[in-house]
Amino acid sequence: MTTLPVKALRRRLLLAFGLIATVCTVAIAYYAVQARQHVGADYTSMVADVVRSQSDPQELLMALARLEDDHPDHHAHQDELAELLLRIPRRIMNLRVQILRSDLPPQDFTPLLDEMSLMKERVETLLTRFSRARRDGLDAEEIDALRELGFEIEVGLAWSYSELSLLVQNASAGQRQLMRRLTLAVIGLLVMVLAAVGAVMLMMLRLQRQRDMMRLQSQTDMLTGLYNRRRLQEVAEREFARRRRHPSPLALMLIDLDHFKYINDTYGHPVGDAVLSSFAETLRQQVRGLDTVARMGGEEFAVLLPNTDRRAARQLAERILAATRAMALPDAAADHRITVSIGVSEARHDDSFEHLYSRADRRLYGAKTAGRDRVVSSDALTGVPRGDASPDEGRDAPERHSAS
């Protein structure tokens, strides 16, 4: 009766949680992919420049080894050496700028920068001497001097580039490890967020369930599971409002178990409670889904019947009489049979629920005084004052709409 709001809320919360989980999963996947692609990006170009620069010292020695005037291609070799001597300082300056802009600890790269600066000066010196010797003519003594200076440069640059490559690779590896830890931290954070969101949603669901449970308890008779008087009043007000918009028959029957006090006094209240629960189940089996069945208190019950006129309501009441007579009682009272008295009334055009209830109650009293185990649907048959009964209510009215 009140589970639909909880089910609807559960569906909405599951949908929202699924959406949040999907977004978080996509975000984590995107972050992990981007982290793998861009981790160490600060060192990528530096590593590439170091790798390219590491070939320069060897090329310098090879170029100096081919520095002979009698070599067929000595002019090309000299041009190659000159171009190499111009390129090496530029690469050293480029690496120096990248190192200073990096996150490498200064104490790690300062000796390397000092060595590279010294080698840059020696390369410039070698270029100056080579240019002068090339203009004045290269002799064996000058070539040997150039080669000796080139060897010193090769040793210094080889060491510098090797140490720099190791330093950058270690820094890149450290950054990758840091990014992996950050990725795990981000994943853990998102998992915690999802857990927190899930906990909040679960709490909302539980609060809604508790709210619906409290509402159900406020509208339900705890013994029989039927609606209580308050709920019947709410449904009746809604039905009367609907009748004002769309006129349709509406009937009410009040039911009272005959001699129920005898069952309580003879067999005890637990047996009496079991009888009430069994009778409530019998009512459920006889009525339609759109009918409202309520326990009004004690052994009195009510059934509100939308789209049902007095004759159809009486037919239903007769079926309830027969079903009650055939109802098996609990073991302690198995040899006993129980009956009910029923008062039936149909709402009039200008009725309120209070008027409808009053007539049904008066007819229930008439059924009791007439000998019980019967249905009374007309004041003319009760032997009690008719009060606000209509003139034609003592006769069988034409059947307008039977929905039972």
Side-chain angles (χ1 to χ4, degrees):
M1 289 179 287
T2 57
T3 57
L4 284 178
V6 172
K7 291 182 179 179
L9 179 62
R10 184 187 295 115
R11 285 195 297 269
R12 293 190 182 98
L13 291 180
L14 287 176
L15 181 62
F17 185 79
L19 180 61
I20 294 174
T22 300
V23 171
C24 289
T25 302
V26 172
I28 291 174
Y30 180 79
Y31 177 82
V33 171
Q34 294 299 314
R36 285 197 299 269
Q37 291 180 351
H38 297 287
V39 67
D42 295 340
Y43 302 106
T44 301
S45 60
M46 190 187 305
V47 171
D49 287 342
V50 171
V51 171
R52 287 193 295 268
S53 300
Q54 283 179 320
S55 62
D56 290 344
Q58 291 296 325
E59 291 183 13
L60 177 61
L61 290 183
M62 293 175 61
L64 289 172
R66 294 193 296 266
L67 196 61
E68 301 287 352
D69 283 337
D70 58 351
H71 195 284
D73 296 327
H74 67 279
H75 290 296
H77 292 161
Q78 292 175 10
D79 292 340
E80 179 184 349
L81 177 60
E83 192 277 332
L84 183 60
L85 292 175
L86 291 174
R87 186 174 70 227
I88 290 176
R90 291 198 298 268
R91 287 187 171 174
I92 292 175
M93 289 303 299
N94 181 47
L95 288 175
R96 179 184 179 86
V97 171
Q98 293 187 63
I99 292 172
L100 292 175
R101 290 178 177 176
S102 70
D103 296 329
L104 294 172
Q107 64 271 19
D108 292 342
F109 63 72
T110 299
L112 298 179
L113 290 184
D114 293 340
E115 181 68 17
M116 292 168 64
S117 296
L118 178 61
M119 293 302 103
K120 176 177 174 294
E121 294 175 359
R122 291 189 178 181
V123 170
E124 292 172 347
T125 300
L126 178 59
L127 177 61
T128 301
R129 292 184 60 177
F130 171 69
S131 298
R132 184 173 59 249
R134 186 180 184 185
R135 183 182 64 250
D136 298 338
L138 288 171
D139 55 24
E141 183 178 354
E142 185 64 22
I143 290 175
D144 289 340
L146 292 176
R147 288 174 177 171
E148 183 178 354
L149 182 57
F151 180 75
E152 294 178 2
I153 294 172
E154 189 274 339
V155 173
L157 287 180
W159 177 83
S160 299
Y161 291 155
S162 176
E163 291 297 317
L164 180 59
S165 176
L166 181 61
L167 179 63
V168 172
Q169 290 178 13
N170 290 337
S172 179
Q175 190 181 56
R176 290 180 182 276
Q177 185 176 11
L178 176 61
M179 291 302 295
R180 282 195 295 269
R181 292 175 180 173
L182 288 176
T183 300
L184 292 176
V186 170
I187 293 175
L189 179 61
L190 290 178
V191 170
M192 291 175 62
V193 170
L194 285 176
V197 171
V200 171
M201 291 182 173
L202 183 60
M203 185 180 301
M204 291 174 60
L205 186 61
R206 288 178 176 174
L207 288 175
Q208 181 66 29
R209 186 179 289 112
Q210 291 176 0
R211 174 188 168 191
D212 286 350
M213 183 63 68
M214 293 177 62
R215 181 183 177 190
L216 178 64
Q217 291 175 353
S218 69
Q219 298 177 343
T220 305
D221 176 64
M222 300 306 295
L223 175 63
T224 62
L226 299 177
Y227 284 128
N228 57 18
R229 181 186 294 267
R230 175 189 298 179
R231 179 58 176 171
L232 179 70
Q233 181 77 28
E234 294 176 356
V235 175
E237 291 175 357
R238 188 169 63 243
E239 289 296 332
F240 272 91
R242 185 179 63 84
R243 285 184 76 246
R244 286 191 290 270
R245 296 191 303 270
H246 307 287
S248 60
L250 176 65
L252 174 70
M253 67 171 65
L254 295 182
I255 309 169
D256 191 86
L257 275 67
D258 298 329
H259 304 296
F260 184 73
K261 185 176 183 302
Y262 172 81
I263 294 178
N264 273 337
D265 294 342
T266 304
Y267 305 107
H269 287 281
V271 173
D273 290 345
V275 171
L276 291 174
S277 297
S278 297
F279 179 70
E281 184 60 31
T282 299
L283 281 180
R284 289 193 190 95
Q285 295 173 1
Q286 297 300 320
V287 302
R288 304 165 301 176
L290 58 86
D291 298 331
T292 301
V293 184
R295 182 187 179 197
M296 306 303 288
E299 64 271 22
E300 185 175 331
F301 297 80
V303 182
L304 187 66
L305 304 163
N307 300 322
T308 305
D309 60 17
R310 183 163 59 96
R311 177 170 296 186
R314 182 180 178 89
Q315 292 173 356
L316 173 61
E318 295 288 353
R319 293 200 299 271
I320 292 174
L321 281 181
T324 305
R325 296 186 192 113
M327 187 178 74
L329 299 187
D331 293 340
D335 296 334
H336 190 83
R337 286 295 174 263
I338 194 168
T339 61
V340 293
S341 300
I342 304 176
V344 176
S345 180
E346 180 183 355
R348 301 169 186 167
H349 175 70
D350 56 350
D351 252 350
S352 66
F353 178 65
E354 289 75 15
H355 292 132
L356 178 65
Y357 187 91
S358 177
R359 286 197 304 275
D361 186 60
R362 186 166 60 247
R363 292 168 187 176
L364 172 61
Y365 177 76
K368 287 286 190 182
T369 58
R372 297 182 173 84
D373 190 21
R374 68 191 62 215
V375 178
V376 174
S377 59
S378 170
D379 287 340
L381 305 178
T382 62
V384 299
R386 293 172 58 107
D388 58 351
S390 63
D392 65 342
E393 202 163 13
R395 302 187 300 270
D396 284 337
E399 185 173 350
R400 288 169 288 175
H401 179 69
S402 177
S404 295

